Amino acid sequence: MEILQNLLDGFATLVGSGLPAIAWWEPTAVIVGGIIIGIFVGVMPGLSASTGVALMVPFTYGMDPLLALILLVAVYTASAYGGCITAIAINTPGTPAAVALAFDGYTLTQRGEPGRALGTAVIANCTGGILGTFILIAFSVPLAKAALAFGPHEYFALAIFGLTIVVSMESKNMLKGAVSTVLGLLLMTIGLDPITGFMRYTFDRPELIDGIAFIPALIGLFAVGEVLLNIERYEPVQAALQTFSSKMPGRKEVLGLKVAILQSSILGTVIGVVPGAGATIAAFIAYNEARRISKKPEEFGKGSLEGIAAPAAAAGGSVGGALVPLLTLGIPGSAATAVLIGALMLHGVTPGPELFAGKNSYLVYGLFASLVLGNFVLLVLGVMGNRLWVKIISAPKALLYPVILVIAFVGSFGVANSLFDVLICLIFGIFGWILRRYGFPTAPLVLALILGYMAESNFRRALIMGDASHFFTRPVSAVMLVLAVLSFSIPIIRLKIGKKQSK
Amino acid sequence: MNMPRTRLLLLLVASIVMTATFTQPPAVHAAYPEKPIVIMVHAKPGGAIDLTARVVSKVARKYTDAPLVIENRYGGSGAVAMRAVLGRKADGYTVLAAPATFISTVQITQSDFGMDDFYFLACLTEAPEALITNRHSDVVTFEDIVADARAKEGRQIWVGPGVGSLDHLMAIKTWDKLGITATWVPYDGGGEAIAALLGKHGDVYVGNPEDVKGRPDLNIAAVSARKRLDNFPETPTLPEVGCDLPDEIMWRGFAVKQGTPPEVIAYLDDLLGKIAVDEEWLAFVKLNSAKAVHYRHDEFTTIVDRDSHQSVKYLMMANILASDEDPAANRIRLVAWSMIPIIALAIALLLRLRRRRPTGVTMIAGACLALASLFFVLAFGFPPPTKGQNVGAATIPLIWSAVLTVFAILQIRADLTNHQDVKHGRVKLVLKLILLMVFFVAVLPLIGFFPATLILLLGGIYAMGYRRHGMVATVAVSMLVFCYIVFIRTLGLPLPEGTWFQ
């Protein structure tokens, strides 16, 4: 109950009765501003949540620490949603976690119903964000303990589990999905070896020391590849006839998603605690689990609303999850929370368990309250924004596509301010077009670039620490590896049985 | 017929005028500094060195009219940022934020430049290296560490950021001085390594005293210093406990490219001197448990030289710097590259025998096969696993390239037995756009972002057969204005300005 009282105090601080240094309207204004900036950051490919938060840090210099914190967290919250918008509207995920949204969301857009997809995404995302906040408030201590118990063995098993889910998702053509995945895994080995520091396959190019940057690769494969693919099928007359509706999903439809949203929010928050690729893996696991419990699993990949709600809710929940290690241990749970820690230090606040006690405890509860409030603001702004996004994608394709290309290149440049990344974006764009043209899915390639690193570095760490049998004697890692084998082999077995029956 | 032409011309003129106003004209030479000074930071925004640079930039506003702006160029543990500074003019408008870690970066990546390509202006902070333990584990004090290491005979786990990093070298030095052995497990960053220590996946973390702030579960077992730290009076120094390492520090300072004019160096030296004693700056450094110092050029250079010599010695000791290149490496490279034509020939032959035309799927799978064999053979040139380990740098590339080979062969087989043709669309239009994009990427560094973007936009729109010139002009102009306001003014992205105009 004390927590509830503290949370209420947090709300009181936000709406004005609390602190003398802050005017009553300031927190709300900061949240609204932060959410708008965050949506924009998420929409721009290349501007990741962490970059967006970092770019806002200088603006917080003169602010009270609480205002600074809620501004940065609002940007973080909204950028998780912003990444979903482009995934649905133009098949270009703004964040890696949004890749799972493109499957069903973009399909609906192609059918002329982007409003339904975007509406589902924003509702699911905000619900996920609010549920994630409550999980953060209630269970942050046990969750943090569980996260610490995660050693290299478990991280490796989680990465492998994530990879097999991605492959099995391409059930139409698993062989092509597998080729795509392993190609990504192999390209991932380019760069400095994480354990010995040896330079692998860098061919004496200094830009390759860190390997292929996955954000430019993602932008290339998705944004540029998609534009090229659409240009190949471009018919000016037909394109002029296509209309997009901004109609939102109906109330019944939304209510029908409650199980998927609830389950995915919890998955998103819990797996989002895992530092690094937590949010991305969470989105994929949520999608897969939603399909497993769905009454209409056959609709997944063909414009299922559940298939949109699940990853969007997981992405929303992962924000709360990533804050767990920050608040309980003072350790970043994601790239964006790492920036948050830096920004708090600038304001003389050290993140960690000591925050809850002492004179800075108002920050924690103000943060919780602002997360809840921020998600409501995001819901309102997101619904209002849908018309704008639909209007943008209704623009003549001949104008839209070159504009997307420009933004893709600027975004790739902005990741590390490097012209080499622009080149990576172009090369992967051409790859993306060729691969997709012949039915090779590109999502597994991108995810392999992300998860492959997590898999290799933790595999190697685990082997330095002990022998290989530990992968199967540690319970969590053993369970996940078994699940990985199952999720890979069951679709193959089903396919074989199906073929036999049809003969 | 004439009207659209004139309009097009007008449009072009308007756009050229616009891009000209966006591209800054070459300035007349006046007293330094007459434009913003860039601080090049190698870490992502929010990292320790980034924050240091940002506070320096903030404090500097009191003492100079020229704004100090931060430019983040991350990658290669700083190699990219250092190269970026060396690639610019030695005019003092680009200052490198240099941490001690750059020394091993230069050595490990075997770069074609060295620390002596930089003129070190001033070192502003230092933090002693510290051995940190988990209060809730069995290894807490320095004595525990030594006893546990002896008992485990090399299986004691030390964690920290990176391989060959400053912290890694600190670990090797400590082992060397104490005559113990232990295992270094590198993590991607300090935060991850601390999480591993808290989760008891490691026994000792090497970092700085600032790492224990706000983390009550962490304990500093010993710190490299000559006398005990004011913030941690309970913590023994390494010399106190019999480990002769009193001067291991992580320093952060600033440098410019060698050849920068003396009057510019004098200006920056004076500016950094003022910042070094500023109240706000001192408050920031104290907050981060570091020590504010002000070592000027001579003293700073002595420290850099000393650390460079030690770094080479211990990197060799840890087998991270190989002394000579393997003579077999060239042969392996030759074999690896010749795999590509061999595989191309083999696939061509196979198609010939089966009387099939090469399909797209077969070509993609063939390309994967060629790439896999290239990587597979090249991996044999990688250094073998260190003693006592059976997995090394080559293991994972070998596994993935072997798996890719299998899948690619399966894919070729599947395509031979059952291949479906792909419907061809307007491939010519796509090729036109690809050509346009290649042109864009090629001329971007030469003519700058705005002119290149204008070419890409107009070329793309007209190539797709859109002819409403008024609309095209509106879109092009608003796109350029949007990019200028958002990316340059608000976000401060250093979009290329073009070398032709400078």
Side-chain angles (χ1 to χ4, degrees), chain B residues 394-467:
Chain B
T395 313
I396 297 290
L398 284 175
I399 294 177
W400 293 143
S401 45
V403 175
L404 183 59
T405 306
V406 172
F407 282 147
I409 290 174
L410 283 177
Q411 184 68 64
I412 292 175
R413 206 191 67 168
D415 196 52
L416 279 178
T417 50
N418 169 35
H419 88 273
Q420 291 151 334
D421 233 347
V422 175
K423 217 171 65 189
H424 284 263
R426 306 178 61 183
V427 180
K428 262 191 193 159
L429 183 59
V430 176
L431 292 180
K432 254 191 222 166
L433 269 163
I434 290 179
L435 219 61
L436 192 64
M437 289 192 290
V438 171
F439 180 74
F440 169 80
V441 173
V443 300
L444 191 56
L446 298 177
I447 63 173
F449 173 75
F450 287 102
T453 300
L454 196 69
I455 294 171
L456 178 62
L457 270 177
L458 295 182
I461 293 172
Y462 283 110
M464 287 182 69
Y466 193 81
R467 288 291 177 273

Side-chain angles (χ1 to χ4, degrees), chain A residues 13 16-27 62-67 362:
Chain A
T13 319
S17 57
L19 294 168
I22 305 175
W24 64 271
W25 50 269
E26 276 181 323
M63 290 183 181
D64 181 271
L66 177 66
L67 282 185
Y362 78 100

Side-chain angles (χ1 to χ4, degrees), chain A residues 258-418:
Chain A
K258 58 178 185 287
V259 182
I261 291 180
L262 183 71
Q263 174 187 288
S264 309
S265 307
I266 296 172
L267 279 172
T269 316
V270 173
I271 305 172
V273 175
V274 174
T280 312
I281 301 178
F284 276 88
I285 294 183
Y287 183 90
N288 205 41
E289 285 304 298
R291 178 168 60 180
R292 219 168 47 82
I293 62 153
S294 171
K295 290 191 189 100
K296 296 178 222 156
E298 70 283 357
E299 277 186 17
F300 275 68
K302 296 172 191 150
S304 157
L305 285 188
E306 284 173 302
I308 296 166
S318 68
V319 174
L323 287 170
V324 167
L326 176 114
L327 291 176
T328 50
L329 306 166
I331 291 166
S334 65
T337 47
V339 183
L340 264 185
I341 290 185
L344 283 172
M345 302 272 263
L346 262 186
H347 282 274
V349 178
T350 310
E354 287 162 351
L355 261 188
F356 285 86
K359 69 175 170 64
N360 283 327
S361 67
Y362 78 100
L363 283 178
V364 178
Y365 298 102
L367 167 68
F368 289 159
S370 80
L371 275 171
V372 176
L373 204 62
N375 273 296
F376 278 110
V377 174
L378 179 59
L379 182 63
V380 174
L381 288 176
V383 170
M384 281 176 10
N386 278 359
R387 284 174 180 281
L388 175 71
W389 308 124
V390 174
K391 199 162 248 168
I392 288 178
I393 54 172
S394 308
K397 297 283 177 282
L399 296 176
L400 187 63
Y401 292 152
V403 168
I404 293 177
L405 291 180
V406 168
I407 292 182
F409 288 132
V410 180
S412 305
F413 176 82
V415 172
N417 298 336
S418 141

